[in-house]
Amino acid sequence: MARQSHKIEGLAELDAALTELPKATARNVLLRVLKKQGAPIRDTGESLAPRLEGGLKQSYTVGTKLSRRQKSKLKKESMVEVYIGPGPHAKGVQTEFGNAHQAAQPHLRPAFDGNMDKVLSGITGDLGDEIEKTRARVAKKAERLAAKIAAGK
């Protein structure tokens, strides 16, 4: 499986803002943004996937879960990782890359290439908004807790 990495300039401020949040909260913020922004790749891949028996089109997803085999092949590199593509069926790989009996019918690669710039810019925009919303929620929760403690004394 080929890996790609992309560098996004200007995320230092967002990263600093995330570190100010509790770890679990920061993780949830990142998951929400990545899942939302991965949807265009999923939708395009699903629309490009050939309609075959076995449900290749319907297996497209954006999520954090991998099959046991996929997990064994990948090393976790980040606190939050989101995967986009068809389910862990051999037909997904066979259809994407082809084999001795079948010509390649790429569906995920064109979806990825066609949406990557949009997704990366969407991540930077949404991440800032989500951090601000979460900060406001955390502050409100702290105020309620402080009021509750003060009323109890």
Side-chain angles (χ1 to χ4, degrees), residues 3 8 23 27 30 48 57 65-66 69 87 89 91 105 111 114 118 123 142 148:
R3 289 191 179 229
I8 306 172
K23 189 174 181 176
R27 182 179 188 282
L30 284 169
L48 294 174
K57 264 184 178 314
K65 303 256 191 262
L66 293 174
R69 183 176 182 283
H89 306 290
K91 66 184 160 281
Q105 294 176 294
K118 179 176 143 184
I123 288 170
K148 193 174 186 179

Side-chain angles (χ1 to χ4, degrees), residues 6 24 33 35 38 57 72 77 83 88 107 109 119 124 128 133 151:
H6 296 272
V33 170
K35 283 181 177 181
K57 264 184 178 314
S72 72
E77 296 182 13
Y83 307 100
H107 43 95
R109 187 68 201 195
V119 168
T124 56
K133 288 178 192 174

Side-chain angles (χ1 to χ4, degrees), residues 28-97:
N28 289 335
V29 166
L30 284 169
L31 275 173
R32 273 194 305 274
V33 170
L34 292 175
K35 283 181 177 181
K36 177 181 174 189
Q37 290 304 318
I41 295 173
R42 179 202 60 218
D43 295 343
T44 304
E46 192 175 277
S47 71
L48 294 174
R51 189 166 186 78
L52 303 171
E53 287 185 24
L56 176 63
K57 264 184 178 314
Q58 295 80 10
S59 73
Y60 260 84
T61 186
V62 177
T64 58
K65 303 256 191 262
L66 293 174
S67 70
R68 185 178 299 143
R69 183 176 182 283
Q70 289 170 326
K71 280 183 200 175
S72 72
K73 300 267 183 206
L74 294 176
K75 184 182 98 182
K76 192 161 174 110
E77 296 182 13
S78 178
M79 176 176 77
V80 177
E81 294 182 353
V82 174
Y83 307 100
I84 306 167
H89 306 290
K91 66 184 160 281
V93 175
Q94 298 296 319
T95 305
E96 182 79 20
F97 298 106

Side-chain angles (χ1 to χ4, degrees), residues 17 21 29 126-138:
L21 296 173
V29 166
D126 279 2
L127 191 54
D129 295 342
E130 277 292 325
I131 290 171
E132 288 307 313
K133 288 178 192 174
T134 302
R135 277 184 178 165
R137 280 194 305 271
V138 168

